[in-house]
Amino acid sequence: RQSKSHQAQQHSEPQPLTIPASPRTASDSLRSAVMMALQMSAAQNLSCVRRTPLGSSAGPRLVRPVQRRGAVSVRAAADADAKTVVLPVNGDPFIGMLETPVTSAPVVAGFLSNLPAYRTGVAPLLRGVEIGLAHGLLVGGPFTKLGPLRNVVGVAEISGHLSAAGLVLILTACLTFYGAVSFQSDRTQVGLKTLSGREVQRDSLQSSDGWQNFTAGWAVGGLSGVAFSYILTQVLPYYS
């Protein structure tokens, strides 16, 4: 009787409704993955954690998490150094000169070293003559072809070369003024040394006497270049 009544009671009790779980869609999986990633990033970027020591009446204290970014910083710095192409000369930022792929190229360095202004082994007088000859020879052309008397036959060349000679004399006066201001005294100057301690001989052009010789050479060379240009345009038969 008890077993029959127990079975009847079980049949009389309502059974709970069971709904089969529907399969997860792709959007649900993506949503759960995004939420999990956000939770992990929030846990890692936590700036500080409040903790209260056991058995202590003091308030919570701040404990900063340990940042493990040493390897990443070193790698980033190494990559930045590998991609840097503009650096101070000899690694010294106090020199005031930058070393670039253009200025440090052997071709550019050789070209600049052979210019008269940087040829320290040549006397300042000869350097001024060389620079004056080059400029005096070339400066007469623009005055002749672009001057106000360019359309007057037989006068354009004469007026152009006279203007070129006047420009050479004006630049001579400017060089004289610059030397008088920059090299006012012949006091002993501080020697030059490289970063390794080796002494470098100072250029003789960077002195009062050297600059005077350079200015004189410029005047002679410039006027000679203008005269040679006039001979090429008036005497030789190849000019028309």
Side-chain angles (χ1 to χ4, degrees):
R1 292 179 181 178
Q2 292 179 357
S3 61
K4 290 181 180 180
S5 61
H6 183 66
Q7 292 177 1
Q9 185 178 1
Q10 287 181 353
H11 286 291
S12 62
E13 293 179 355
Q15 298 294 331
L17 181 60
T18 304
I19 301 176
S22 61
R24 300 180 63 183
T25 60
S27 61
D28 296 337
S29 302
L30 180 60
R31 188 182 297 106
S32 61
V34 171
M35 293 298 296
M36 186 177 298
L38 291 175
Q39 292 177 0
M40 293 177 62
S41 63
Q44 292 178 357
N45 296 332
L46 186 62
S47 60
C48 61
V49 181
R50 292 184 175 272
R51 295 180 182 177
T52 303
L54 296 177
S56 176
S57 60
R61 61 179 181 178
L62 298 179
V63 180
R64 297 186 180 277
V66 179
Q67 297 180 358
R68 299 179 179 179
R69 298 180 183 177
V72 178
S73 301
V74 172
R75 190 179 299 110
D79 295 342
D81 292 339
K83 296 180 181 179
T84 301
V85 295
V86 180
L87 297 172
V89 175
N90 297 330
D92 188 359
F94 299 99
I95 295 180
M97 182 65 181
L98 295 177
E99 184 177 3
T100 64
V102 177
T103 57
S104 61
V107 177
V108 177
F111 174 75
L112 294 178
S113 299
N114 289 325
L115 291 178
Y118 300 102
R119 231 180 296 158
T120 58
V122 182
L125 180 63
L126 298 179
R127 290 151 75 176
V129 170
E130 184 176 352
I131 296 175
L133 281 172
H135 288 77
L137 181 63
L138 298 176
V139 78
F143 284 108
T144 302
K145 293 299 183 181
L146 302 176
L149 301 177
R150 59 184 178 274
N151 294 326
V152 180
V153 180
V155 180
E157 292 80 4
I158 298 176
S159 64
H161 289 86
L162 289 177
S163 301
L167 179 61
V168 170
L169 295 177
I170 292 174
L171 294 178
T172 303
C174 294
L175 290 175
T176 304
F177 297 153
Y178 176 80
V181 173
S182 300
F183 312 104
Q184 296 183 3
S185 61
D186 294 333
R187 60 186 179 183
T188 304
Q189 298 179 350
V190 180
L192 299 178
K193 291 186 178 181
T194 61
L195 295 177
S196 60
R198 182 173 57 88
E199 293 186 359
V200 180
Q201 185 179 2
R202 185 177 293 274
D203 188 5
S204 58
L205 179 61
Q206 303 298 324
S207 61
S208 179
D209 294 337
W211 192 262
Q212 290 178 3
N213 294 333
F214 176 79
T215 303
W218 158 266
V220 174
L223 295 178
S224 301
V226 172
F228 185 68
S229 176
Y230 179 79
I231 292 173
L232 291 179
T233 57
Q234 296 297 312
V235 178
L236 297 181
Y238 302 104
Y239 176 80
S240 61

